[in-house]
Every structure is written in C-alpha cells, then in structure tokens.
Amino acid sequence: MAAGFKTAEPLEYHRSFLKENCRPDGRELGEFRPTTLNISSVSTADGSALVKIGNTTVICGIKAELTTPPSDAPNRGYIVPNVDLPPLCSSKFRPGPPGEQAQAASQFIADVIESSDLINMEELCIEKSKLCWVLYCDIMCLDYDGNLLDACIIVLLAALKNAQLPEVTINKETDLAEADIQKKQPLKINRLPVGSSFAVFDDSIIIVDPTAEEESLSTALLTVVTDEEDRLCAVHKPGGTSLSGEKLQHCINRAITRNKEISKLVDKVTESTKTAK
Amino acid sequence: MSSEIWSPCILRDQERCLLVMMGELSEDLRILSTCKLLQHDSQLLEAVFRTHRLSYETRGSRSKSLHDRAVINCQYSMATFSTAERKRRPHGDRKSSEMSLHLKQTFEAAVLTELYPRSQIDIYVKILQADGGNYSACVNAATLALVDAGIPMRDYVCACTAGFVEDTPLADLCHAEESGGGTSLALALLPRSGNIALLQMDARLHQDHLDALIEAAMTACKGVSKVLDGVVRQHLEEVSVLTRD
C-alpha cells in the first residue's frame, strides 16, 4: 500500500515523513548517507579512487601526460576534470554526447579546483615554457542516486592524494624528456575541499544529501564547498526558491562539520594503504 | 580492494581468479540489474542492463522495433583510464562499434527475444580496466546481468580467449600475451549444449592446431560457467533470505 501511495503521490509521501522530521530511508534531516571510500582500485591509472555515498557510486581515474604549457601561463601545468554520466548509471541519461548535467558538473569541478587552490600548478611544471604535466581527471558515475557533486569532489580529492607521478628530467643533449618509472612521487595537495549538498522542500525544509527522488521533488538545490580551514571555496545555488541568509549560514555550518568527517575518512584510507604496502 | 565496498564472493577457477558481484548497484527500478565482474584483479567490468518499451520519444527508434521479438541494443565503451595510454575516444571508434555488434549478435543467440515483442533490451558495458580478454569479460558480465534482471535465456553464455604462445595452447590470455604476436581466439559458448555462439580469430593458424585451440577455449568456458552458476545460486540464497524477512 505504501508503494502504491509513493508512486501515485510522491510529494505527499515525502511530506508525510518530513512532518515527523525524518525521511523515507530512515535518516534525520541533517544526516548524510554512509560514505565508503576505496583507493587504488584501477592499476592502469596513475591514481584512482571509488566512492559510495549510499547508492551513488562514482569512480575517478587520473592519467598524467606530458605536454607544453599554455602560452599565457608558461610556468604552470594544468588539470582537466571531466565528469561522465553514462546511461548505465541511471535511466535518466541517454547514450550520446555529454548532456547538460555532465557538462555543468565538469565545469563546477574545474571551478572548485581553481578556487580552492587544491594543487600548486607551478609544481606541475617541469621546465618553463617547455614541459609540464597535464592531469586528466576522468570522473565517472556508476550509479546515480542523487548528490553527484559531493561524490565527485571526494573522489577527485582521494584520487589526487593517491596519484603517483614519475620523476621527469630533460636530457640536455637530446632535449627530450625522460621519465623514470621507478621513482614515483605523490602529488602535494594543499587543501582539502569537501562539498555538502542540500535540497529545499516546499520553500522551508532543508534536507542534507538528497537522493535522486528527493532531488527531483525538491524546489531548490544548494551545494557548499569548504576547505579544512573552514573557508568557503564555492557556493552553488542554481535558481530554485529563494533562501534566507540565516538558512544559508546554517547550511554552511553543516558543511564545515561534514568537511571534518570526510577529511578523517580520506586520511584513514590513505594511511591504511600506506601501511598495507 | 576494501571489502566494505565490494563484498565479493571469490571463486577461483583454474585460469584466473574471478571475482563476481551481482546486483550491487542501483535502486532505480528501471535499471533491472547490474553485475560487476573482475577477472584476475586487473580487469574490471560492469554490465548494466535494462529493458524498456520502444517509445515515441526515442528518435527514430519506432522504426527499429520488431513486431515479433525484442531488439537487443548493446553499447560497449572503455573508460579513458582503462588502458596504459589514455584512451582519447572511449566510444564511437571502430573497435567499440565492432565489439558492440559482436555482443549484440552473441546475445541474440541466447536470449529468448520472442517473449518480448516490440520492446528493446539495452545492455551497457563499460570497461574500467583492461588487461586482455575484453570481449570475454563483457560477455560473462552481461550474462550475469541478464540473469539478475530475470530475462529468460537459453543457457549461460560464457566466453574465454585462448591462444598459442610458443606452441602451447593457453586459455584466458592477458594483454601482454595477446599483443605478443601469437594467435588468439575468442569463443562464446552455451555450455550445456556445447554450442558455439561466437568464434573469432584474426591470425594465421594451421588447420591442425585449430581443434586443440577450440578444445582449450571450451574447457575454459565450461570452468567459467561453473563459477557463474555458483555465483547465481549464492546470490539467490542471499536474496531469498532477505526477502523472507
């Protein structure tokens, strides 16, 4: 009977739970789904990670290539993030060129990398105007159940922490780059940006970490990205119903707590692989 | 691999370690089943499967529907980080289109499409890490995904590669062995009847050696089918225990 009610009147179904301050899957309004993280899953990539927030599963693979730096920034390397939402993750997505949501997510990740100063781009440069690293970060969603942006940020962070780049020297005589595969260096990560997504129901109730159903029924979505020093890196609220300043502040506080939880998780996982080696 | 995420059932077969997990992903009702298959801890693959009625919205697809059976649509693609060199065009290139077509033809032989007229069955396969035997891993994963979805099939479809490396027939070649210049043969088998669904070999081979090679591939496929059967039964036990509660 509940399943029938849910299909016929999904909004009423959710409202009846929200009245009791909880959600259909049993969570509190401010509770995130259990998050699991796995790194070094793909050995062909230079760095990789897989994250699961509830059912949302996202994998990231980092491939590093050598190239010449762009002419307007000759002493910096660059990062190219790309978010892929293939049809296998949800029936919402059709095969073919990347849709709007995938492109918007890719741009959002690029902006977060830029604004949070995640990696010092100068370190990616090997020789000014001649050679630098370009990191292709391919983020792929394997199962879409809401809250894509948070998962993408976490998986990118974990994959970058896990990435190992070989040392490259330029042979003075031949002017060619030589990569020493035996000697690998991890990347230096300056900041730990972590995102928290919220959905607004009926202009007043804010829930944290919406599932795909909740996202489709919500009236507004909001994502806040903070770094480990409690500074804001990005606030993304694409349209929807308006939100008061104090509600926004409340969301930012929740995002700060979430940052600490995720930082601990990422540290724990990186430590465990180091000890395993 | 952390057991929190994969919770696999590890079954060793004689060639390579096969890790299979069924039904792990998705609550979306329209995605009926998924299956992750890991062959020899270096090739991850995922097949997601769904069936839907061909609708007016899909461009031009009304004309593709058949009045007496289902249309099977396969899409094969590789993740850009799946190979040693970053893959520039993950789908749409010739190799991917050829693979998609082979998968479609393989499953048309096995699925009882007459039971679903005017419908389309979509099979999406994505390779997360490639280490040889891409086609066989795809077929094995898609078989399990179809079983998980409850689509009736004539038999499991098991696939394996075999090849000659210095005059010894080897089953289940890895990437280094495949690209080493010896012959390699991919075989998709319906194990109970011993019928071959698809056989592909693109290399020079003496006629006398062909039998030995097919024999090696068939034995490997039968081994794989035992593993797949074991996984299906175990998964059903787990699921029936959960639904009973």
Side-chain angles (χ1 to χ4, degrees):
Chain A
M1 206 230 103
F5 182 40
K6 185 174 172 190
T7 329
E9 290 276 345
L11 195 52
E12 282 306 317
Y13 179 77
H14 277 89
R15 274 195 193 127
S16 60
F17 280 93
L18 290 172
K19 261 196 290 225
E20 312 288 329
N21 266 343
C22 73
R23 291 144 81 168
D25 52 3
R27 286 188 284 158
E28 304 277 314
L29 297 187
E31 199 182 322
F32 277 86
R33 286 172 287 182
T35 309
T36 35
L37 180 64
N38 186 325
I39 59 177
S40 287
S41 4
V42 177
S43 62
T44 47
D46 297 310
S48 64
L50 177 95
V51 87
K52 273 182 112 154
I53 300 184
N55 283 321
T56 300
T57 311
V58 178
I59 190 169
C60 173
I62 309 232
K63 292 292 264 182
E65 286 183 5
L66 291 168
T67 183
T68 43
S71 48
D72 55 343
N75 60 342
R76 306 176 66 183
Y78 50 102
I79 299 187
V80 180
N82 182 41
V83 176
D84 185 22
L85 296 172
L88 59 79
C89 69
S90 162
S91 47
K92 293 202 306 185
F93 306 113
R94 298 245 129 248
E100 271 181 5
Q101 192 172 3
Q103 293 189 29
S106 306
Q107 187 56 43
F108 177 75
I109 300 291
D111 291 338
V112 166
I113 294 175
E114 192 59 48
S115 68
S116 65
D117 204 17
L118 184 58
I119 288 186
N120 207 342
M121 300 295 187
E122 276 90 7
E123 285 187 10
L124 291 178
C125 180
I126 300 165
E127 185 158 321
K128 187 172 167 166
S129 305
K130 281 229 198 106
L131 202 65
C132 71
W133 283 115
V134 54
L135 296 177
Y136 290 104
C137 307
D138 294 296
I139 300 174
M140 191 179 314
C141 181
L142 300 177
D143 191 3
Y144 183 83
D145 194 22
N147 205 358
L148 177 71
L149 297 176
D150 286 7
C152 289
I153 298 175
I154 299 176
V155 80
L156 178 69
L157 188 63
L160 284 171
K161 278 202 134 182
N162 170 240
Q164 304 261 2
L165 297 183
E167 261 185 51
V168 178
T169 46
I170 299 204
N171 191 326
K172 292 281 178 253
E173 291 134 39
T174 58
D175 213 20
L176 286 172
E178 277 160 21
D180 190 353
I181 314 261
Q182 304 306 320
K183 285 205 233 122
K184 287 211 169 171
Q185 298 275 353
L187 286 170
K188 192 157 143 318
I189 311 287
N190 295 341
R191 302 253 174 261
L192 298 169
V194 171
S196 309
S197 291
F198 306 85
V200 180
F201 260 85
D202 284 342
D203 309 341
S204 51
I205 309 176
I206 298 188
I207 54 175
V208 139
D209 190 14
T211 62
E213 257 177 66
E214 290 168 348
E215 267 184 6
S216 58
L217 296 169
S218 64
T219 49
L221 292 171
L222 167 70
T223 306
V224 176
V225 182
T226 54
D227 71 4
E228 78 281 7
E229 285 176 24
D230 298 349
R231 287 189 303 208
L232 280 177
C233 299
V235 177
H236 186 68
K237 185 190 175 305
T241 53
S242 48
L243 209 60
S244 70
E246 53 169 283
K247 287 225 175 78
L248 185 61
Q249 188 55 51
H250 179 72
C251 293
I252 294 176
N253 294 338
R254 184 71 187 85
I256 291 177
T257 352
R258 174 70 169 164
N259 186 314
K260 300 196 170 50
E261 291 164 27
I262 294 296
S263 304
K264 259 197 268 174
L265 177 67
V266 174
D267 286 335
K268 197 169 86 168
V269 177
T270 2
E271 279 311 309
S272 68
T273 46
K274 284 208 187 97
T275 47
K277 282 192 196 128
Chain B
M1 290 255 221
S2 141
S3 57
E4 302 156 343
I5 298 222
W6 299 109
S7 59
C9 65
I10 304 176
L11 291 150
R12 274 192 184 278
D13 69 337
Q14 63 227 93
E15 291 84 16
R16 294 204 274 193
C17 173
L18 261 170
L19 244 84
V20 190
M21 290 130 276
M22 280 184 72
E24 275 273 312
L25 305 180
S26 94
E27 283 200 340
D28 186 334
L29 295 167
R30 279 162 297 170
I31 293 193
L32 293 184
S33 80
T34 63
C35 158
K36 281 200 249 309
L37 190 145
L38 175 65
Q39 226 162 305
H40 183 55
D41 84 12
S42 58
Q43 181 171 350
L44 275 124
L45 176 99
E46 200 164 319
V48 175
F49 174 90
R50 59 179 200 251
T51 174
H52 61 97
R53 284 209 108 77
L54 279 173
S55 60
Y56 286 100
E57 293 95 55
T58 11
R59 296 181 300 278
S61 59
R62 280 284 285 179
S63 55
K64 278 196 249 156
S65 70
L66 297 169
H67 67 279
D68 58 343
R69 36 183 225 274
V71 169
I72 297 189
N73 173 35
C74 276
Q75 199 194 50
Y76 165 93
S77 80
M78 299 180 73
T80 45
F81 45 80
S82 60
T83 46
E85 285 290 314
R86 183 171 182 259
K87 211 158 166 39
R88 296 254 161 217
R89 277 194 79 190
H91 28 83
D93 64 323
R94 279 207 302 249
K95 195 88 182 76
S96 305
S97 312
E98 186 197 18
M99 278 284 203
S100 307
L101 188 63
H102 285 319
L103 285 170
K104 176 182 145 88
Q105 289 163 339
T106 312
F107 284 102
E108 269 173 1
V111 171
L112 295 167
T113 47
E114 296 81 30
L115 299 175
Y116 300 104
R118 288 186 297 279
S119 300
Q120 177 169 307
I121 301 179
D122 287 330
I123 304 181
Y124 296 105
V125 179
K126 199 154 200 76
I127 300 222
L128 300 177
Q129 185 177 334
D131 187 29
N134 289 350
Y135 169 77
S136 8
C138 288
V139 166
N140 295 331
T143 301
L144 282 181
L146 286 163
V147 168
D148 194 24
I151 301 286
M153 291 202 290
R154 294 196 173 86
D155 196 356
Y156 287 102
V157 187
C158 305
C160 197
T161 46
F164 266 110
V165 174
E166 304 206 355
D167 297 332
T168 339
L170 291 179
D172 197 16
L173 307 170
C174 71
H175 182 69
E177 290 160 349
E178 262 180 15
S179 47
T183 26
S184 82
L185 173 143
L187 180 80
L189 187 75
L190 283 85
R192 248 174 278 241
S193 51
N195 290 334
I196 298 179
L198 184 141
L199 177 86
Q200 180 170 10
M201 189 198 74
D202 309 299
R204 273 206 312 273
L205 182 70
H206 198 283
Q207 273 190 78
D208 299 340
H209 296 318
L210 184 64
D211 280 326
L213 212 52
I214 295 189
E215 207 37 62
M218 281 185 138
T219 330
C221 287
K222 294 209 165 97
V224 170
S225 79
K226 287 204 188 62
V227 174
L228 296 186
D229 195 39
V231 170
V232 168
R233 285 174 202 280
Q234 183 177 10
H235 181 73
L236 279 176
E237 272 176 31
E238 289 169 10
V239 166
S240 63
V241 163
L242 289 172
T243 47
R244 216 177 291 145
D245 299 334

